[in-house]
Amino acid sequence: MAGETLILALESSCDETAAAVLRGEREVLSDIVASQAEIHAEYGGVVPELACRAHAESVVPVVEKALKKAGAEVEELSAIAVTQGPGLIGALLIGLSFAKSLAWSKNIPLVPVNHLEAHISAAFVEEEGAALDGQPFVGLVVSGGHTSIYYSKERGSYRLMGQTLDDAAGEAFDKVAKIMGLGYPGGVVIDRLAKEGDPNRFKFPRPMLDKSEFDFSFSGLKTALRTHVEKYMGNLEGQELNDTCASFQDAVVEVLVTKTFRAVKSSGAKNLVVCGGVACNSRLRQKLAETAQKRGVNLVIPRPRYCTDNAVMVAASGRQRFLAGIRADLTLNAIPTWPLEE
Ligand code: KG4
Ligand code: ZN
């Protein structure tokens, strides 16, 4: 029976309204994402009220599209999985309310999902990730809202090893991009400009590289970059801009890679999963792959589409939880701060 599950999943925790249909463990029948990036771009970050309005407008068409593309009828679904938290409360409530009404009206099991566990679950949709099932791994979740390292003895059980003490890595990318006037979300722009830049041109701090074993801090790096940009009095452009992006990115990547492999070594795990929006970063992917190869660590990073917010990852986590018997009723409420390790 397990291989025959058909899961509809909804994601609305931040600025993407997404729905997906997953058959069995890894067969993605549809994967629809309505991004609000353009709406938030002029503010340089997510505006919660605008996010809620856009989710409310998109949720029905996005779910309809996902079901249609999958060729699935609501009546055939094994369960509806929905992100319960962490995230923006108003944004979460839109996905939750819709999922609850659909599940209730059609009498389909409703399964609440943790957004961070969903990010990790994206790895198990990939072929090389599926091979990890049942084995211990270290997971780095690196996104716009989170930068945390977990030890997982097996899927579904997580121990927090380290986390950021201030900004998340993606937040640092976005804030620094805003300082340089590069638009929102900034990570992808910095990644692109950095390809034409020299990462050794400017020396930015590597916060807490030698201290606090597995914790991160990115706010000092952001301040260093602001001071650097101010020196150019609004004229940071061309090669200087590319070199600044490359040097900043290098600092973030070095800290992420060093701490993550330190955690892998200390845990004794042979497997590493890296996920979340920042896991799209080309330099991070390259440095992780090089280091994993050198140290004989089995590395799984989901394809970029499954790293940024999407509903396939929610379906993958939802399926696990559905099979474990986890169900929600109509009292289900959003949990804006829901630690993964609970
Ligand atoms: O996982 P995600 O879509 O949403 C959260 O759960 O936060 O992550 C979004 C974050 C943004 O901060 C964005 O700038 C960053 O991921 N990001 C990147 C890249 N692509 C997305 N950061 C660095 N390099 C990239 N290529
Ligand atoms: Zn996310």
Side-chain angles (χ1 to χ4, degrees):
M1 269 309 278
E4 291 167 22
T5 52
L6 190 68
I7 309 282
L8 167 70
L10 268 84
E11 157 62 40
S12 70
S13 66
C14 189
D15 60 345
E16 260 93 35
T17 319
V21 178
L22 181 73
R23 178 152 61 200
E25 198 176 356
R26 294 186 37 233
E27 196 185 345
V28 177
L29 299 185
S30 62
D31 170 18
I32 309 294
V33 179
S35 173
Q36 307 172 1
E38 265 177 38
I39 297 172
H40 303 290
E42 70 173 289
Y43 305 96
V46 178
V47 183
E49 289 78 4
L50 296 181
C52 289
R53 196 178 306 166
H55 283 305
E57 282 167 8
S58 303
V59 68
V60 174
V62 163
V63 171
E64 274 176 356
K65 236 188 206 171
L67 287 167
K68 189 166 176 213
K69 176 111 195 280
E73 298 295 333
V74 179
E75 289 73 15
E76 296 174 79
L77 298 171
S78 320
I80 298 174
V82 60
T83 304
Q84 187 184 8
L88 301 169
I89 183 158
L92 289 164
L93 282 173
I94 297 186
L96 280 177
S97 310
F98 185 80
K100 281 202 275 190
S101 24
L102 189 62
W104 178 75
S105 63
K106 300 283 182 180
N107 199 20
I108 294 166
L110 179 64
V111 181
V113 166
N114 180 300
H115 182 80
L116 303 174
E117 185 171 24
H119 270 301
I120 291 177
S121 299
F124 293 88
V125 180
E126 304 292 2
E127 196 176 340
E128 67 271 27
L132 276 192
D133 215 351
Q135 296 182 45
F137 64 90
V138 165
L140 169 68
V141 182
V142 62
S143 69
H146 299 270
T147 303
S148 307
I149 303 178
Y150 300 95
Y151 172 73
S152 172
K153 202 161 154 260
E154 59 192 335
R155 274 181 88 175
S157 121
Y158 305 94
R159 175 167 61 81
L160 182 66
M161 295 185 77
Q163 62 185 328
T164 183
L165 305 178
D166 40 59
D167 292 348
E171 192 180 355
F173 268 101
D174 294 341
K175 285 181 177 169
V176 158
K178 189 176 178 184
I179 294 169
M180 295 191 284
L182 300 177
Y184 171 86
V188 62
V189 185
I190 291 180
D191 190 350
R192 179 163 46 79
L193 297 178
K195 289 201 172 99
E196 310 299 322
D198 173 5
N200 300 312
R201 168 88 181 273
F202 304 111
K203 200 71 197 155
F204 292 120
R206 268 66 175 155
M208 312 210 323
L209 196 58
D210 304 312
K211 281 191 294 186
S212 299
E213 281 194 317
F214 315 121
D215 286 335
F216 302 97
S217 163
F218 293 105
S219 78
L221 173 58
K222 183 185 64 193
T223 308
L225 194 114
R226 188 190 299 278
T227 311
H228 167 82
V229 172
E230 277 164 4
K231 280 195 218 134
Y232 287 86
M233 306 209 308
N235 292 315
L236 182 61
E237 54 194 16
Q239 197 55 49
E240 266 74 30
L241 175 63
N242 295 346
D243 292 346
T244 300
C245 288
S247 302
F248 165 78
Q249 179 176 274
D250 203 49
V252 176
V253 167
E254 186 182 337
V255 177
L256 289 172
V257 172
T258 305
K259 300 242 169 183
T260 302
F261 280 94
R262 191 181 288 165
V264 171
K265 190 170 175 200
S266 128
S267 76
K270 298 272 176 289
N271 306 299
L272 171 62
V273 167
V274 180
C275 56
V278 181
C280 292
N281 185 268
S282 55
R283 181 138 180 122
L284 178 62
R285 293 175 88 95
Q286 179 203 340
K287 287 284 165 191
L288 286 167
E290 283 171 15
T291 314
Q293 201 189 11
K294 248 188 254 158
R295 308 218 185 155
V297 171
N298 176 28
L299 170 70
V300 182
I301 316 179
R303 71 193 71 180
R305 184 169 174 90
Y306 297 163
C307 285
T308 47
D309 285 349
N310 66 87
V312 171
M313 65 184 198
V314 179
S317 171
R319 176 178 183 271
Q320 285 290 111
R321 291 165 68 82
F322 170 67
L323 294 175
I326 296 170
R327 303 285 185 272
D329 60 24
L330 290 184
T331 62
L332 183 69
N333 206 348
I335 312 180
T337 54
W338 178 9
L340 177 56
E341 59 276 20
E342 263 178 13

